[in-house]
């Protein structure tokens, strides 16, 4: 197992924190397969000492972890330039983006994919799908496991012709950005799907949504966005950019930031994990670890709980004190979801580096799903955390695998699973949780905070009401 030295905590307006000496018993526990929660990336190297950083006022102090490429990319035009940029865009050949394409433009614009500065050109795309990484001109390697590309069809390609720049518009026709010094190259969908998902089986949600009907060409170039991308859905205040998140962590005086990615409602097992992680970080010597609760806000499959419902449920979890609002930052991660397992979880981790997180929590089957045509998991549930421990370009991120949490029928609460008394534990999957909510059946006491559970029940009740009304309004068939 690869071991990577824990990055020492830095908080510039406090004295340096002591580093705890590893003991043989501690080292043994980290290597033992039953001690999976809070296993940091430790690298056994004799690297040169890191020079001490000068103390700085909190407002300008250095981040806990450098973004990929050394600086955050910001592709949004400054206000003074926007009128001229819009006038330029009006005169260019125009491509209309699908909703998923807009989400990727948002990801690029705010620097989540730093140092990438636009939709991938061919040399970047090939590095991504073959190596899960990009090599920078300096020779450094950064992780990039998902292709961030824009597809065009034959008519689009002909209309662009030899134009060096194109304008990008949203689904409603409003101008969003200019793509400069464009390069058009073939879109081999089968290869892309096979290399991203490890299968070409029918029924992959993102493939059905964004690839199958997409054009046979990809267009790459440097992106310049007219203005910050907004969705006007009442949730934009949750959509903090990587720079805004870094500023918030500095404001709170964080000396460690641990990120938790999710696309489901928060139950008490999740909360157990997050609270236990913070406790362990305090034991390691950190003084103020901050949780980044970071639900995915882009495309998700049809049976996932919609983002507005999830955000309301998350707010109840904080209101009820299941998670501490003083040590938790809730924000929306704008990326679409691929359900590509170990390949995708690298992207999720890499993006959180750019947001300023130096610890990343990973659990069972991250970014996974059931096989679309067979009754089995699409990916080995343990491979996600194993891949993260070896992934190129993620060495500076501390990966925190954790033990599985389940409902303890004896203690009547969510607890870490104990194999020695497996008969006492009940596993409540996302599917089972949704079934409970749909049927009005309550989960066991202690599974989820009551106000959070009510949000889910109300959502599924509203769906049933809408379905009944639609059925009643439908014309009778003879």
């Amino acid at each position: 197992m690869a071991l990577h030295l824990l990055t020492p905590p830095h908080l510039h307006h406090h004295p340096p924190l002591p580093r705890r000496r590893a003991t043989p018993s501690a080292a043994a526990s980290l290597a033992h397969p039953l001690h999976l929660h809070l296993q940091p990336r430790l690298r056994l190297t004799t690297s040169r000492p890191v020079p001490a950083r000068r103390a700085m006022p909190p407002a300008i102090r250095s981040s806990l972890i450098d973004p990929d490429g050394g600086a955050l990319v910001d592709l949004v035009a400054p206000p003074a330039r926007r009128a001229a940029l819009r006038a330029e865009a009006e005169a260019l050949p125009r491509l209309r983006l699908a909703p998923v394409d807009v989400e990727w433009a948002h990801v690029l614009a705010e620097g989540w994919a730093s140092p990438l500065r636009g939709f991938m050109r061919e040399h970047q795309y090939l590095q991504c799908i073959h190596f899960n990484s990009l090599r920078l001109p300096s020779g450094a390697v950064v992780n990039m496991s998902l292709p961030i590309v824009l597809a065009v069809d034959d008519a689009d390609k002909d209309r662009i012709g030899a134009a060096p720049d194109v304008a990008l518009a949203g689904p409603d026709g409003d101008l969003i950005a200019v793509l400069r010094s464009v390069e058009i190259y073939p879109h081999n969908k089968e290869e892309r799907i096979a290399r991203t998902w490890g299968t070409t089986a029918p029924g992959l949600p993102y493939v059905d949504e964004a690839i199958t009907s997409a054009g046979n060409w990809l267009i790459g170039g440097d992106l310049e966005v007219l203005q910050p991308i907004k969705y006007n859905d009442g949730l934009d205040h949750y959509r903090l950019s990587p720079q805004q998140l870094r500023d918030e962590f500095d404001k709170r005086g964080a000396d460690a930031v641990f990120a938790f990615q999710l696309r489901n409602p928060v139950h008490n097992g999740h909360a157990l994990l997050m609270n236990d992680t913070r406790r362990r970080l305090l034991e390691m010597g950190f003084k103020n670890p901050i949780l980044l609760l970071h639900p995915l806000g882009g495309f998700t499959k049809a049976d996932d709980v919609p983002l507005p419902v999830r955000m309301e449920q998350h707010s109840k979890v904080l209101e009820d004190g299941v998670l501490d609002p003083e040590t938790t930052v809730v924000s929306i991660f704008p990326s679409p979801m691929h359900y590509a397992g170990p390949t995708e979880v690298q992207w999720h981790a890499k993006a959180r580096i750019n947001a300023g997180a130096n610890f990343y929590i990973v659990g069972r089957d991250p970014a996974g799903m059931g096989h679309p045509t067979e009754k089995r998991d699409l990916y080995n549930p343990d491979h996600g955390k194993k891949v993260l421990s070896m992934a190129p370009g993620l060495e500076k991120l501390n990966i925190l695998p954790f033990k599985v949490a389940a409902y303890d029928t004896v203690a009547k609460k969510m607890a870490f699973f104990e194999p020695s008394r497996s008969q006492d534990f009940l596993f409540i999957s996302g599917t089972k949780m949704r079934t409970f909510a749909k049927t009005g059946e309550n989960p066991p006491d202690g599974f989820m905070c009551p106000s959070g559970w009510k949000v889910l029940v109300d959502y599924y009740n509203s769906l049933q009401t809408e379905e009944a009304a639609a059925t009643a309004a439908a014309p009778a068939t003879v």
Side-chain angles (χ1 to χ4, degrees):
M1 179 178 292
L3 299 177
H4 302 270
L5 284 181
L6 179 67
T7 304
H10 295 287
L11 187 58
H12 297 290
H13 54 291
H14 288 292
L17 297 171
R19 183 186 301 193
R20 297 197 172 193
R21 183 183 302 274
T23 62
S25 59
S29 69
L30 288 175
H32 196 281
L34 295 182
H35 295 267
L36 291 178
H37 57 304
L38 273 171
Q39 178 181 342
R41 284 181 79 116
L42 301 170
R43 182 190 306 224
L44 297 179
T45 66
T46 56
S47 58
R48 59 184 179 275
V50 177
R53 300 181 184 179
R54 292 178 298 173
M56 303 178 186
I60 59 171
R61 73 181 183 85
S62 299
S63 297
L64 299 171
I65 187 170
D66 290 334
D68 281 348
L72 271 179
V73 166
D74 180 0
L75 305 179
V76 180
R81 173 164 165 68
R82 291 174 188 171
L85 182 61
R86 180 174 294 277
E88 178 190 359
E90 292 283 0
L92 295 175
R94 185 176 301 192
L95 296 175
R96 182 165 292 199
L97 305 185
V100 169
D101 299 326
V102 175
E103 291 166 2
W104 280 124
H106 183 179
V107 165
L108 291 165
E110 293 185 340
W112 295 99
S114 294
L116 197 61
R117 301 192 63 85
F119 288 103
M120 289 178 175
R121 295 183 172 91
E122 187 175 38
H123 74 282
Q124 296 166 324
Y125 172 70
L126 291 176
Q127 290 180 72
C128 171
I129 65 170
H130 288 276
F131 309 133
N132 283 359
S133 60
L134 298 177
R135 185 171 296 279
L136 306 183
S138 66
V141 171
V142 298
N143 193 273
M144 184 59 69
S145 62
L146 289 186
I148 302 180
V149 292
L150 179 60
V152 295
D153 59 23
D154 290 348
D156 291 329
K157 180 175 179 290
D158 292 342
R159 188 171 65 257
I160 294 167
D165 306 329
V166 299
L168 305 181
D172 57 2
D174 288 345
L175 286 170
I176 289 177
V178 171
L179 195 64
R180 301 191 182 281
S181 303
V182 300
E183 175 187 343
I184 298 177
Y185 55 99
H187 184 192
N188 185 332
K189 298 179 187 179
E190 183 178 23
E191 181 185 30
R192 176 184 173 188
I193 295 166
R195 289 194 171 277
T196 303
W197 283 270
T199 180
T200 57
L204 297 169
Y206 186 89
V207 172
D208 291 345
E209 174 72 17
I211 299 181
T212 300
S213 60
N216 293 323
W217 304 92
L218 297 175
I219 182 169
D222 297 327
L223 192 67
E224 189 173 11
V225 180
L226 272 67
Q227 60 188 16
I229 292 175
K230 303 295 182 183
Y231 299 82
N232 301 313
D233 57 358
L235 300 176
D236 283 330
H237 63 287
Y238 282 114
R239 294 184 175 94
L240 301 182
S241 70
Q243 187 59 61
Q244 289 172 320
L245 285 169
R246 285 171 174 264
D247 292 344
E248 180 65 23
F249 301 146
D250 283 354
K251 177 181 175 182
R252 297 197 187 201
D255 60 349
V257 175
F258 57 108
F260 188 76
Q261 142 100 23
L262 70 167
R263 68 174 195 270
N264 288 308
V266 174
H267 57 61
N268 288 350
H270 296 138
L272 170 68
L273 164 67
M274 290 181 270
N275 289 326
D276 187 68
T277 299
R278 188 171 195 275
R279 179 183 65 81
R280 295 301 186 93
L281 289 172
L282 290 169
E283 289 180 354
M284 288 180 186
F286 293 92
K287 299 300 185 184
N288 189 27
I290 296 295
L291 165 65
L292 172 58
L293 183 64
H294 215 197
L296 185 137
F299 163 80
T300 54
K301 55 189 174 68
D303 63 346
D304 281 353
V305 177
L307 179 64
V309 179
R310 286 185 278 133
M311 296 308 296
E312 183 181 358
Q313 193 270 347
H314 297 347
S315 71
K316 298 299 183 184
V317 169
L318 270 73
E319 288 175 12
D320 286 4
V322 178
L323 295 174
D324 183 358
E326 295 299 317
T327 59
T328 303
V329 175
V330 182
S331 181
I332 293 173
F333 177 44
S335 175
M337 188 76 192
H338 276 54
Y339 306 90
T343 298
E344 183 171 18
V345 75
Q346 296 173 67
W347 158 244
H348 292 166
K350 175 247 171 48
R352 274 41 181 250
I353 290 175
N354 287 329
N358 53 348
F359 290 85
Y360 185 78
I361 302 173
V362 60
R364 180 187 181 278
D365 198 22
M369 59 173 279
H371 194 285
T373 60
E374 302 175 15
K375 292 184 178 181
R376 62 178 178 86
D377 288 337
L378 184 54
Y379 306 104
N380 183 304
D382 292 326
H383 281 184
K385 60 175 174 277
K386 291 180 179 179
V387 166
L388 282 184
S389 73
M390 301 179 287
L394 296 182
E395 294 83 1
K396 60 187 175 182
L397 182 65
N398 296 287
I399 305 301
L400 303 176
F402 63 87
K403 291 194 300 184
V404 175
Y407 186 76
D408 187 333
T409 58
V410 175
K412 298 190 182 306
K413 65 178 184 179
M414 297 297 290
F416 287 122
F417 177 68
E418 299 178 29
S420 62
R421 56 184 192 94
S422 59
Q423 71 280 359
D424 295 333
F425 285 86
L426 176 65
F427 288 90
I428 301 176
S429 66
T431 300
K432 183 177 288 188
M433 177 185 68
R434 290 189 290 269
T435 300
F436 281 154
K438 289 176 183 177
T439 60
E441 181 180 355
N442 287 325
D445 289 343
F447 172 73
M448 184 183 292
C449 67
S451 62
W453 181 250
K454 184 176 184 302
V455 170
L456 298 185
V457 172
D458 289 348
Y459 163 67
Y460 283 110
N461 283 343
S462 70
L463 285 187
Q464 292 173 354
T465 300
E466 291 173 5
E467 290 171 359
T471 301
T477 57
V478 178

